Amino acid sequence: TRWESYPEEERLGALLEAFELHQQALHITLPVDPAFLSLDLYTLLRSRKLSPALLTGTLTNDPNSRAAAQGKVAELYTFAHVEAGALNFKDSPYFRGIGLDFSYIHEQGGNMTQQIAFALGTLVEYLDWIEQSESKLTIPELLGRVAVTFAVGTHF
C-alpha cells in the first residue's frame, strides 16, 4: 500500500508509532491548510501509549504566523485549535500546545527586531481574543503554554 493512500490520521499515527515519545521531544508544525485543522491531532497524540506528563515538545499552530509564512490571510483561520492546543495538553507540563514561529520573517529578509515586534503583536492579539471571547483559557494558561521560535542569523 502506498503511503499516500492512508488518511492523514493513519499516516500520522503510523509515524508516531515509530517514535518512543517518552524518550524524545516531539515538535509538530500544522500546515496552513484549514482542512488539516479538522484532524483530531490532540486526541491522536494523547492516545499514544504515553503518560501526558511525559510528553515533551511543541505544537506550532498559530494561524497568524502560519498564514503569513505562506502569503495567506489569517482571517481564514480561527483560534479554536490554538485554544484546544493549550487546553488538551494541560496535563503535559513539558509540551507547549501553542507554538508561534516567526522564522519566516528572517527568511524573507527581516531582522530580529521585526521578529520580536511581530511576536509581541501576536501575543497581544491572543490576549485581546481571550478577554473578548468566551474562551475557557485564561491569560496565565495561555502564556504558560506558548513556545516562540525565532530565526538567528550571523549577526546574532
Side-chain angles (χ1 to χ4, degrees), residues 1 16 52 63 74 95 108 117 140-141 143 154:
T1 305
L16 291 174
F95 189 85
Q108 295 176 6
E141 287 172 330
L143 295 175
T154 57

Side-chain angles (χ1 to χ4, degrees), residues 80-113:
H81 63 285
V82 175
E83 179 183 41
L87 294 176
N88 287 325
F89 293 108
K90 67 182 179 185
D91 296 332
S92 302
Y94 305 108
F95 189 85
R96 299 291 175 241
I98 302 173
L100 311 175
D101 184 357
F102 298 98
S103 60
Y104 73 91
I105 295 170
H106 173 77
E107 293 165 2
Q108 295 176 6
N111 59 35
M112 183 58 75
T113 303

Side-chain angles (χ1 to χ4, degrees), residues 1 4 17 23 44 47 49 52 59 63 67 73 76 80 93 100 120 126 129 133 136 143:
T1 305
E4 292 82 15
E17 286 295 329
Q23 295 180 351
L44 183 63
S47 70
K49 299 170 187 159
L59 176 63
V73 178
L76 300 174
L100 311 175
L120 291 174
Y126 277 19
W129 169 73
S133 72
K136 297 175 186 173
L143 295 175

